[in-house]
Amino acid sequence: VADGIGGYEGGEVASALTVTSLAEVVAATRGTLEERLAAAVAEANRRILHLQEAHGSELRAMGTALTALALDARTGQAAACHVGDSRMYRLGAQGLEALTQDHNVGTELVREGLLAPEALRRHPQRNMLTRALGAAGEVQPDLLAFTAAPGEAYLLMTDGMLDVVSEEEVAATAREATAWNEVGPRLVALAEARQNDDDATVVAVRLEADAEGPA
């Protein structure tokens, strides 16, 4: 999930470039999934900065948040990278488990004990990103490596989704769906019904048991 910033055109270019770079570099790079994701993020950031320089003021402010999951279905090995304020959750018996932390002013103030959680929604700079692709010469993604098991489910969502749909509603919608490919469309429809002005994007992944391999 790549959620662009810097105006419609710039954000669209940055997010599309990031998704393309991620697919290309992860496929062409050797190493662990974590190492390949890190290389892909660095390359995407380099390409965004190059376009900023080439197009001047037209795309100077463009950038993107990124939350990505890589899975090897044969081994169950998984890795995630995260920059910005989209989120990744694991859906389990107890509900949603957040696997990422937002990189924005409001969340970091709460984390440092400088802002009460209940005051977060009222803070004027709560959504100002502290990390994003395209914001600096080097980007520092949060990287996570873990083992995924058949039956586990993962949800990647932009902040526009979570601004209008609670975590409890996300979990309930995922559990109520009769088919897993209904989860994303149902969540997006729920966000759109609430007149959300921001982008609401969902990637929903569930690992199924397979007779020929682990998942």
Side-chain angles (χ1 to χ4, degrees):
V1 172
D3 192 10
I5 57 176
Y8 175 75
E9 183 176 358
E12 184 180 57
V13 171
S15 59
L17 181 60
T18 296
V19 171
T20 300
S21 300
L22 205 72
E24 289 177 357
V25 176
V26 169
T29 307
R30 294 185 177 181
T32 65
L33 287 177
E34 189 176 5
E35 291 168 341
R36 290 154 68 186
L37 281 176
V41 170
E43 175 61 16
N45 192 60
R46 186 195 68 78
R47 294 181 185 182
I48 291 172
L49 294 175
H50 176 74
L51 274 184
Q52 287 177 350
E53 294 177 1
H55 290 269
S57 59
E58 182 182 355
L59 297 176
R60 185 170 295 160
M62 78 172 182
T64 186
L66 172 68
T67 302
L69 171 66
L71 287 167
D72 186 336
R74 296 167 300 173
T75 65
Q77 294 304 301
C81 65
H82 170 68
V83 179
D85 59 359
S86 294
R87 295 182 191 173
M88 185 173 81
Y89 294 91
R90 178 162 41 211
L91 179 64
Q94 304 302 317
L96 291 181
E97 174 193 1
L99 299 180
T100 59
Q101 291 187 332
D102 294 350
H103 298 141
N104 57 35
V105 170
T107 301
E108 295 193 5
L109 288 174
V110 171
R111 197 155 49 233
E112 294 170 5
L114 301 175
L115 183 69
E118 57 271 18
L120 179 58
R121 282 191 173 275
R122 300 190 301 274
H123 196 282
Q125 295 180 316
R126 64 186 182 280
N127 293 325
M128 183 180 293
L129 294 183
T130 54
R131 294 191 216 177
L133 277 75
E138 293 186 9
V139 61
Q140 296 181 324
D142 290 342
L143 295 166
L144 176 66
F146 56 99
T147 300
E152 289 185 341
Y154 298 88
L155 294 162
L156 288 72
M157 294 175 282
T158 59
D159 65 315
M161 169 65 65
L162 294 160
D163 282 344
V164 294
V165 181
S166 69
E167 293 181 354
E168 292 76 15
E169 289 174 308
V170 170
T173 300
R175 295 187 189 285
E176 291 167 2
T178 56
W180 189 252
N181 60 7
E182 296 177 0
V183 174
R186 284 192 178 192
L187 287 170
V188 170
L190 183 59
E192 290 178 345
R194 296 178 180 177
Q195 299 180 339
N196 181 25
D197 294 329
D198 200 357
D199 172 61
T201 300
V202 179
V203 174
V205 180
R206 185 172 65 187
L207 280 70
E208 300 287 357
D210 181 42
E212 298 181 359

